[in-house]
Amino acid sequence: MPGDAGAGTIAPMTSQYKTVDGALVGIVMGSTSDWPTMKAASEMLKQLGIKHESNVISAHRAPERLLDYCRSVESRGLKILIAAAGGAAHLAGVVAANTHLPVLGCPMKAWSLEGLDSLLSMVQMPKGVPVATFAIGEAGAVNAALFAAAVLSLSDEEIRRKLLVFRTKQAEKVDEVG
Ligand code: RP5
């Protein structure tokens, strides 16, 4: 087990998740099975030159590790968290409850209901602790990254410039009609 310091001792929790110096965005997933989808968010952030870290920390399988991670993010300089989960997708809500950073939720398709279960779990947060919820699957993953970039661009001219370049290139690819 990573960070296992031996019988009768408790390993330092920071050894159980990956940190990146200077990261502005943290992607957290409930399972490695979410990575093929969330890779698209990571790639978009990379394309925009935004330092980020990606971790699998399940809210129900590793609750203490998740709490420890949430408690570390603000002091390490992260600004936005992207939380992806499927099924009874409580991860984003738990993350939002344990940090004051904005939390962007990405509902995963998981194993049934085409992701509608995940979407409703995230979007129906009771009042008081918001999770900004995106579309199911890869579209939501990419849009969460773009939204994070838009927020960061309010105070970072370089990110703003890269985001505008992306938007301009995207517009150029739109087919003309007639
Ligand atoms: C959630 O359950 C994960 O976020 C994932 O989307 C879903 C299925 O997880 P696995 O059974 O594939 O690990 O916790």
Side-chain angles (χ1 to χ4, degrees):
M1 185 184 161
D4 192 344
T9 60
I10 297 172
M13 295 301 285
T14 45
S15 64
Q16 297 188 12
Y17 52 79
K18 192 185 79 182
T19 61
V20 171
D21 284 345
L24 296 175
V25 178
I27 298 175
V28 190
M29 290 153 278
S31 169
T32 49
S33 64
D34 299 327
W35 179 240
T37 305
M38 292 313 295
K39 205 168 167 225
S42 173
E43 281 167 1
M44 179 53 70
L45 291 171
K46 197 171 169 196
Q47 190 180 327
L48 297 170
I50 298 173
K51 269 194 160 185
H52 62 285
E53 58 191 35
S54 303
N55 281 286
V56 174
I57 315 177
S58 166
H60 54 278
R61 292 171 181 153
E64 291 193 18
R65 192 184 314 168
L66 182 64
L67 187 56
D68 191 66
Y69 180 79
C70 290
R71 286 177 173 159
S72 79
V73 288
E74 280 188 79
S75 62
R76 292 193 294 106
L78 277 81
K79 303 293 181 207
I80 299 176
L81 297 174
I82 297 175
H90 38 254
L91 177 71
V94 172
V95 168
N98 286 292
T99 170
H100 299 299
L101 295 183
V103 176
L104 314 184
C106 293
M108 299 290 99
K109 263 192 184 166
W111 66 95
S112 66
L113 305 180
E114 295 297 311
L116 188 58
D117 44 355
S118 324
L119 173 66
L120 293 177
S121 299
M122 284 187 180
V123 82
Q124 289 287 56
M125 278 298 287
K127 67 185 170 200
V129 180
V131 169
T133 305
F134 288 79
I136 298 164
E138 190 176 313
V142 171
N143 279 348
L146 287 170
F147 191 88
V151 173
L152 294 169
S153 74
L154 295 172
S155 56
D156 187 315
E157 195 47 46
E158 184 57 17
I159 293 175
R160 183 172 183 276
R161 193 188 61 75
K162 287 191 170 140
L163 187 57
L164 292 183
V165 168
F166 169 80
R167 294 288 287 256
T168 304
K169 282 189 182 158
Q170 182 172 245
E172 284 168 0
K173 284 185 201 157
V174 175
D175 289 336
E176 286 182 16
V177 179

